[in-house]
């Protein structure tokens, strides 16, 4: 299994980088390092390596891989209080409750179930097992046999072979005789060979060309060979795999939903990093290594680096709740084995002369050893056409004007997203690439419409990412609908635009933002608010929504101050606001009045104008999503001083902020993929992504998948394919991109951002959150896991 060890070591290095970046950013006072020893896929060597770790006081160990090597170290690990997290071991004999062995994969009863259902699904009635005579081979053989026979099929007696054998001639002769006999009885279409082996598969397939009958039946493998690179690199072995229709399962997440999209962007991001390190994608076991290191690091840190076994086990259980990695949440059964998941089935395909690749051909979902869902087995794989043409996607970004900061960040993210997507297409051997046409809207609706008309006239793109501001989306709406285009906006939130059309929005709208904002104000006992807002589509819509939500909550919305977006001198506004604040304080009392600001980057100038106004400095101020994380506010001493004085708190769409709502109290989730995205952005650009960047990244993948599925189709087919792709798009940063009838997403979170004091000064950080989740009513719960801040520590989520 040495090729898996190589990818596992590379994955461990990536995990160390990401965990340490997260710990530093979250203020967790630890850093991690990983020490590596070679198990040689040998029980004795694995035990020697574990004893070496034990002598160094190490109590958490990732690996070994093979079940035989796990069995070889199990007693020592149990006796010496060492936790083992195996990325690959699956023998049923090791499913023991209460021991120190945790496995990132399900045991073989689940893999055997998946294999049996796949074989039955493709019409196989007789199975000839060939298996390594070790704990893994015997375990999977028995599991598959039992499951296959329950499906009214015949499993012949297995053909065992020693795992260490190098001579396969006699074995192949035996297999050939059994295959010829089975074909004579059942016909070739009803017969399959189940090979349970690791990289011995390569040599066995290489020699199988000498036995013509063997390529006449289906061969099925196991997770110890699936996506193996060495099989692809051996032309004779790969050619036999193609002729025999060789298919092999592996536990993974990419195949859990309706097969609509080629793969998850998160997984592709990981694989691209692997290619940069070792020149190839890696494999599923390497991702298990990555997730296991995150779990181990979180467990160690949450335990306070404890050496007590029970404390470590308890912390590991907590870590499995707060961590969601590349393969979703890790759910363990009583034996410490993965209990929920999906097996993807992969086959070898010739992509060019003597060039081969693994492709997805189906999937099987399971839970607790049983098929899951109404259609647990899917025999439809995902494959991008090899002759895919080049595709162009346009973007309307505010590279200048009031939203220039967001627009410039979006341009960087689009380039990253396109690079990741094209890297994936290249790895898949696909000819086509994604190109971008980016236009500057200047944050001006008239300019935006003109630029879109130019794009339409040139017929260069059918799908456009942007515009950002709601005023510009409103300006292009009629043209978009009439011209048969699709627009995907990562930032527009005006509720007035929540209507059925060809505009899709990857952010929660102003109605939900106002609901979250009023929830916070009610928590803080605010009875009356004085709004200050831009006189444009965005500001007017948000002010209207705030009024409705506040009145429904028995609050009061006072007259407020509306200003022209082109205003540069705010002295008159501040005087009017001062007068209204004085009146409101006399009527409601100081503690029950607040100012709500709905602005863009002019918030800095408003704060500077209000700097010397004691009445305004003594009130609580709230903002909007366009105010969250404004660098300009913290970069100006007077603006920062005012923001700190009024505890300026703004809601922002926060796909990077989630709670585990299935536990009580809810725990803050650590998404490895979000952390990687943030870490990479900080390393490359010196700052975290803009809140809209998550939707920008996803928008490109959604647009590309839609074009791939729909081709040069009419607008009705484009809309249909977008809805299908978005509904199955669970791997994006927006998490649930499925559109409602108006084309808007419905689930997600608002995080509240406020200036938080640190040793290096003030920074914007989360202080609370409001969550919109499916099928839940609103309720309030105290939460102590939030980072320190000047606001109350609380969570609201429906």
């Amino acid at each position: 299994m040495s090729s898996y060890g190589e990818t596992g070591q590379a994955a461990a290095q990536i995990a160390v980088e990401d965990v340490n970046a997260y710990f530093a950013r979250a203020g967790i006072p630890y850093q991690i390092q990983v020490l590596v020893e070679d198990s040689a896929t040998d029980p004795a060597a694995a035990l020697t390596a574990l004893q070496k770790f034990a002598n160094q006081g190490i109590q958490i160990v990732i690996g070994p891989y093979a079940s035989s090597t796990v069995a070889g170290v199990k007693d020592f690990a149990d006796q010496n209080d060492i936790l083992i997290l195996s990325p690959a071991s699956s023998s049923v004999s090791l499913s023991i409750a209460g021991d120190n062995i945790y496995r990132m994969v399900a045991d073989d009863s689940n893999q055997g179930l998946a294999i049996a259902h796949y074989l039955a699904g493709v019409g196989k009635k007789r199975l000839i097992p060939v298996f390594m005579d070790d704990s893994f081979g015997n375990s999977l053989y028995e599991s598959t046999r039992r499951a296959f026979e329950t499906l009214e099929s015949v499993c012949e007696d297995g053909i065992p072979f020693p795992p260490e054998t190098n001579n396969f001639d006699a074995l192949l002769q035996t297999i050939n005789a059994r295959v010829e006999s089975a074909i004579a009885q059942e016909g070739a279409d009803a017969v399959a060979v189940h090979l349970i082996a690791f990289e011995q598969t390569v040599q066995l397939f290489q020699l199988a060309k000498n036995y013509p009958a063997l390529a006449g039946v289906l061969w099925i493998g196991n997770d110890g060979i699936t996506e193996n690179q060495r099989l692809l690199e051996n032309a004779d072995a790969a050619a036999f795999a193609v002729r025999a229709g060789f298919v092999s399962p592996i536990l993974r997440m990419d195949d859990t939903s309706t097969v609509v999209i080629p793969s998850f962007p998160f997984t592709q991001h990981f694989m691209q990093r692997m290619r940069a390190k070792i020149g190839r994608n890696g494999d599923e076991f390497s991702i298990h290594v990555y997730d296991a290191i995150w779990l181990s690091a979180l467990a160690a840190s949450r335990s306070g680096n404890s050496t007590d076994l029970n404390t470590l086990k308890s912390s590991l259980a907590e870590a499995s709740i707060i961590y969601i990695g590349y393969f979703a949440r890790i759910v363990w059964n009583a034996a410490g084995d993965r209990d929920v998941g999906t097996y993807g089935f992969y086959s070898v395909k010739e992509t060019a002369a003597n060039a081969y690749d693994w492709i997805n051909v189906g999937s099987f979902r399971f839970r607790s050893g049983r098929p899951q869902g109404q259609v647990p087995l899917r025999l439809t794989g995902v494959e991008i056409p090899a002759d895919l043409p080049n595709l162009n996607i346009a973007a309307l970004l505010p590279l200048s004007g009031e939203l220039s900061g967001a627009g410039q960040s979006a341009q960087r993210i689009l380039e990253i997203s396109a690079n990741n997507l094209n890297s994936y297409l290249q790895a898949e051997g696909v000819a086509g690439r994604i190109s971008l046409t980016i236009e500057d809207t200047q944050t001006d609706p008239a300019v935006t419409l003109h630029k879109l008309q130019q794009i339409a006239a040139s017929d260069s793109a059918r799908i456009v990412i942007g515009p950002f501001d709601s005023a510009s989306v409103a300006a292009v709406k009629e043209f978009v609908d009439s011209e048969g285009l699709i627009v995907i906006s990562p930032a527009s939130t005006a509720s007035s635009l929540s209507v059925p059309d060809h505009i899709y929005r990857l952010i929660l709208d102003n109605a939900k933002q106002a609901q979250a904002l009023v929830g916070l104000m009610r928590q803080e006992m605010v009875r009356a608010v004085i709004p200050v807002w831009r006189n444009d589509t965005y500001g007017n819509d948000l002010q209207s929504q705030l009024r409705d939500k506040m009145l429904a909550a028995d609050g009061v919305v006072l007259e407020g101050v509306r200003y022209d977006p082109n205003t540069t001198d705010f002295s008159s506004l501040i005087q009017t606001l001062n007068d209204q604040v004085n009146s409101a304080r006399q009527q409601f009392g100081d503690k029950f009045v607040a100012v709500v600001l709905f602005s863009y980057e002019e918030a800095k100038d408003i704060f500077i104008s209000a700097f010397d106004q004691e009445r305004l400095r003594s009130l609580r101020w709230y903002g909007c999503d366009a105010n969250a994380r404004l660098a300009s506010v913290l970069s100006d001493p007077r603006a920062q001083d005012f923001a700190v004085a009024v505890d300026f708190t703004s809601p922002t769409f926060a796909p990077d902020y989630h709670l585990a709502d299935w536990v009580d109290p809810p725990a803050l989730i650590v998404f490895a993929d979000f952390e990687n995205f943030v870490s990479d952005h900080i390393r490359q650009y010196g700052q975290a992504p803009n809140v809209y960047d998550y939707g920008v990244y996803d928008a490109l993948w959604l647009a590309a998948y839609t074009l791939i599925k729909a081709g040069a189709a009419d607008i009705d087919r484009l809309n249909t394919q977008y809805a299908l792709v978005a509904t199955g798009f669970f791997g994006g940063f927006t998490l649930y991109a499925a559109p409602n009838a108006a084309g808007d997403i419905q689930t997600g979170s608002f995080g509240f951002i406020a200036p938080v004091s640190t040793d290096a000064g003030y920074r914007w950080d989360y202080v609370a959150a409001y969550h919109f989740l499916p099928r839940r009513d609103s309720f309030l719960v105290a939460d102590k896991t939030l980072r320190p801040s000047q606001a109350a520590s609380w969570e609201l989520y429906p």
Side-chain angles (χ1 to χ4, degrees), residues 45-64:
L47 179 58
T48 299
L50 186 62
Q51 290 169 337
K52 182 176 180 180
F53 285 149
N55 290 335
Q56 298 174 71
I58 292 171
Q59 286 185 271
I60 304 179
V61 176
I62 314 301

Side-chain angles (χ1 to χ4, degrees), residues 222-237:
N222 66 93
D223 60 357
I225 193 63
T226 308
E227 295 191 312
N228 185 279
Q229 186 71 17
R230 291 182 182 171
L231 177 57
L232 301 180
E233 293 169 350
N234 187 304
D236 288 339

Side-chain angles (χ1 to χ4, degrees), residues 445-465:
V447 172
T448 304
L449 177 58
H450 177 66
K451 293 293 181 69
L452 183 60
Q453 289 169 336
Q454 288 181 323
I455 291 170
S458 67
D459 199 26
S460 60
R462 298 291 304 281
I463 300 181
V464 180
I465 297 170

